[in-house]
Amino acid sequence: MTTSTIIYAAITIGLIGLIAAVILHFVSKVFHVEEDPRIEEVQACLPGANCGGCGFAGCHAMAEAMVKAMDTSIAYCPGGDYEKIGAILGIAASAKEPQICVVRCNGNCENSPAKVKYDSAMTCAFANTVFAGEGACPFGCLGCGDCVAACKFDAIHINPETHLPEVDENKCVGCKACVKACPRGVLEARNKGKNNRRVYVACNNKEKGAVAKKNCKAACIGCGKCAKVCPFEAITVTDNLAYIDYTKCKACRKCVAECPVGAIHAVNFPEKKVPEVAPEAQTAAVNTNTNPEA
């Protein structure tokens, strides 16, 4: 191949590229669609994680939908600045209660000891199709970490000792990406609650009490004691499983003390102080107990 042939080939390729670029330029001008500049402004008010928790393909799609509908209620992003979005659109944006994800499973290695060893694809989606779990609970956490992979905020991790996911309250924005990733519905987005305090049933098992207890010591047995003691009618028992409606719960914690298996968790509450007994009262109690005539 001569030098002139190479030069001609290079010139030809260059001309083809130039012609294609000119054609693309004119095509883009003809089919150009003007985008509402407010879409970019609204998108800037969103976290940009593109997690899909809002139900849209990403933050841009959500911003576009809100601008076109002139309505901020069509989608909810817990990390979005709705006050600023409302100002951009010139409408009143209603604020929503912030949410956080909770783990509705207490089947750690102590409560639900492993009966088998899982040695296959380390995804919950696959493991859920082939076996009940190492602790034999068909409703419990599988511990493979699909929720961890789904979280764009690094807010959830698997504890290597308990094999259960743990949510970092300082990072979780309640986007529900982990909720969608869990094949067993172990994760749930709930309102953070007043002073960040929450009460929920840390169990997802719908089996009868005896069967559930066989595989996990802390499994809900569906006894209904919690529902009976709740003064706000916030607890229902369906399919052998108690559930606390966070929109009705007033965090009185009566159900926590009533649960015989410790399936109900109360988060971020101060420890109850044990009343101090005066020394005189302690002496009187000892004398009463030691008096043979009492």
Side-chain angles (χ1 to χ4, degrees):
M1 183 179 290
T2 62
T3 305
S4 60
T5 304
I6 296 174
I7 294 173
Y8 290 145
I11 293 173
T12 303
I13 293 173
L15 287 172
I16 292 173
L18 179 62
I19 294 169
V22 172
I23 292 172
L24 286 174
H25 173 73
F26 283 106
V27 169
S28 65
K29 289 290 185 180
V30 172
F31 293 99
H32 176 69
V33 179
E34 289 290 340
E35 186 177 71
D36 193 323
R38 293 178 299 176
I39 294 176
E40 287 190 7
E41 294 180 40
V42 172
Q43 185 179 353
C45 299
L46 301 173
N50 297 314
C51 60
C54 60
F56 290 91
C59 294
H60 182 81
M62 177 182 170
E64 186 177 15
M66 285 195 292
V67 172
K68 286 182 178 180
M70 288 298 288
D71 185 4
T72 60
S73 64
I74 62 173
Y76 175 63
C77 175
D81 189 341
Y82 276 78
E83 185 177 347
K84 189 178 290 185
I85 293 173
I88 293 170
L89 300 180
I91 59 176
S94 57
K96 290 192 176 182
E97 186 76 21
Q99 290 192 321
I100 192 171
C101 286
V102 299
V103 182
R104 294 192 59 209
C105 178
N106 201 26
N108 54 34
C109 299
E110 180 182 352
N111 293 330
S112 183
K115 298 177 177 62
V116 295
K117 178 66 177 177
Y118 178 70
D119 187 15
S120 187
M122 290 303 292
T123 68
C124 299
F126 179 79
N128 185 50
T129 64
V130 294
F131 87 133
E134 293 189 348
C137 174
F139 296 92
C141 175
L142 292 162
C144 295
D146 285 19
C147 53
V148 178
C151 182
K152 303 294 184 181
F153 301 94
D154 192 36
I156 187 167
H157 298 91
I158 301 295
N159 187 312
E161 295 182 1
T162 64
H163 294 176
L164 290 177
E166 293 181 350
V167 178
D168 187 336
E169 296 189 6
N170 296 320
K171 294 181 178 180
C172 179
V173 298
C175 69
K176 301 182 184 178
C178 59
V179 175
K180 293 180 180 180
C182 180
R184 292 193 167 179
V186 169
L187 293 156
E188 180 191 13
R190 299 174 67 90
N191 287 355
K192 280 190 173 183
K194 187 178 180 180
N195 296 323
N196 206 24
R197 296 171 184 171
R198 301 173 295 282
V199 180
Y200 63 94
V201 180
C203 183
N204 196 41
N205 197 315
K206 297 178 178 65
E207 297 174 308
K208 290 186 177 180
V211 180
K213 284 278 289 181
K214 183 179 179 181
N215 294 322
C216 181
K217 293 188 293 184
C220 174
I221 57 177
C223 64
K225 290 184 176 181
C226 53
K228 292 177 183 178
V229 77
C230 179
F232 307 104
E233 298 182 350
I235 305 177
T236 54
V237 180
T238 307
D239 295 333
N240 309 305
L241 178 65
Y243 179 78
I244 300 176
D245 186 343
Y246 56 81
T247 63
K248 296 180 180 179
C249 178
K250 303 300 181 184
C252 67
R253 291 186 289 169
K254 289 184 178 180
C255 57
V256 179
E258 194 70 19
C259 181
V261 294
I264 302 178
H265 288 192
V267 183
N268 296 328
F269 286 87
E271 292 186 10
K272 291 185 177 180
K273 295 182 179 180
V274 179
E276 296 182 2
V277 181
E280 297 82 2
Q282 292 180 350
T283 305
V286 171
N287 292 337
T288 302
N289 293 332
T290 56
N291 187 355
E293 297 179 359

